[in-house]
Amino acid sequence: DTEVTQTPKHLVMGMTNKKSLKCEQHMGHRAMYWYKQKAKKPPELMFVYSYEKLSINESVPSRFSPECPNSSLLNLHLHALQPEDSALYLCASSQGTGDRSYEQYFGPGTRLTVT
Amino acid sequence: EDQVTQSPEALRLQEGESSSLNCSYTVSGLRGLFWYRQDPGKGPEFLFTLYSAGEEKEKERLKATLTKKESFLHITAPKPEDSATYLCAVQDWGGYQKVTFGTGTKLQVIP
């Protein structure tokens, strides 16, 4: 099973709201990722968690706050977003670190609209 | 800094008309090259990982090949259901878990 699940599928929020995106995988993967994807653009890396610790933060604004409660779950907390933050947010996981390159498996994404 | 360039940006094929998509890359040391397929509004679907020049992998009508500077995704006798955007991505040895994506090739297969 190579499934990564994400909830919700769609989210509309105002600029003063607080919401969270959730991601789950049961493949035993030890690395998890958040990406942002705008229309007709490739996925843009936001955060990487490796063994439940934040290992990469691609200079993402503080209105995005990631959390990794355990090895299977990844959250992205959203607060005071801007309309330009509207995008498809993708979660991915991979087997982990090591001496080789591991493919990432993506979830279906959350379509976020900020009004 | 790693760079990935995909061509063409868009490709329109008749059903059964074979073709190839190109991914040119520049990395300090290739750790892995990935091909993904992405349907509109969905997450990318993993297709292949290639590690070293000369390596080839196949899956149904798709075949991926790798040289020291580029990778090709060959599509043999495509069907309409192969229509999607195909993304190439690379990871270098210094990049830890970070991959660099190309902008993709949007493939349309017409019945």
Side-chain angles (χ1 to χ4, degrees):
Chain A
D1 183 14
T2 56
E3 187 178 25
V4 176
T5 59
Q6 290 187 243
T7 55
K9 290 185 178 180
H10 302 276
L11 179 63
V12 179
M13 60 186 291
M15 290 189 284
T16 58
N17 291 159
K18 286 186 180 181
K19 296 285 185 183
S20 296
L21 309 185
K22 297 185 182 300
C23 173
E24 190 167 5
Q25 58 89 11
H26 293 288
M27 295 177 277
H29 289 173
R30 302 313 301 266
M32 296 186 76
Y33 312 75
W34 280 116
Y35 287 87
K36 173 183 177 180
Q37 188 176 26
K38 291 279 210 178
K40 300 185 179 181
K41 297 288 187 181
E44 178 184 341
L45 183 65
M46 300 174 71
F47 303 102
V48 181
Y49 273 84
S50 180
Y51 291 87
E52 299 159 51
K53 292 184 179 179
L54 184 65
S55 59
I56 296 178
N57 177 340
E58 289 289 277
S59 302
V60 179
S62 60
R63 57 186 184 267
F64 295 91
S65 175
E67 177 194 21
C68 189
N70 60 54
S71 60
S72 299
L73 294 174
L74 187 66
N75 298 322
L76 185 63
H77 302 296
L78 314 173
H79 174 55
L81 295 191
Q82 303 297 310
E84 58 265 29
D85 296 322
S86 297
L88 181 67
Y89 287 83
L90 295 163
C91 173
S93 69
S94 69
Q95 198 163 338
T97 61
D99 60 356
R100 53 160 283 189
S101 191
Y102 294 100
E103 58 272 8
Q104 296 177 21
Y105 292 91
F106 285 81
T110 293
R111 172 69 61 188
L112 174 67
T113 303
V114 181
T115 59
Chain B
E1 185 177 333
D2 299 344
Q3 290 188 330
V4 180
T5 303
Q6 291 188 246
S7 61
E9 286 188 16
L11 181 62
R12 196 175 182 195
L13 298 174
Q14 291 290 327
E15 185 173 0
E17 180 187 3
S18 302
S19 188
S20 297
L21 313 183
N22 177 264
C23 171
S24 298
Y25 64 89
T26 304
V27 296
S28 54
L30 184 67
R31 191 171 187 172
L33 183 142
F34 310 97
W35 281 99
Y36 289 88
R37 168 200 169 118
Q38 187 172 24
D39 294 305
K42 298 187 177 181
E45 175 189 346
F46 169 71
L47 294 174
F48 305 108
T49 306
L50 301 168
Y51 296 103
S52 57
E55 190 174 1
E56 299 182 353
K57 288 192 176 174
E58 286 188 70
K59 179 181 179 180
E60 296 180 352
R61 296 177 292 282
L62 301 177
K63 180 180 177 181
T65 62
L66 182 65
T67 72
K68 289 187 177 181
K69 293 184 178 181
E70 55 192 352
S71 177
F72 292 92
L73 185 65
H74 307 277
I75 304 176
T76 301
K79 298 182 178 182
E81 53 263 41
D82 294 322
S83 298
T85 294
Y86 290 85
L87 295 166
C88 173
V90 298
Q91 186 179 48
D92 68 28
W93 283 102
Y96 198 49
Q97 296 293 359
K98 186 176 179 179
V99 298
T100 300
F101 280 90
T103 51
T105 293
K106 185 175 182 179
L107 174 66
Q108 183 183 13
V109 181
I110 304 163

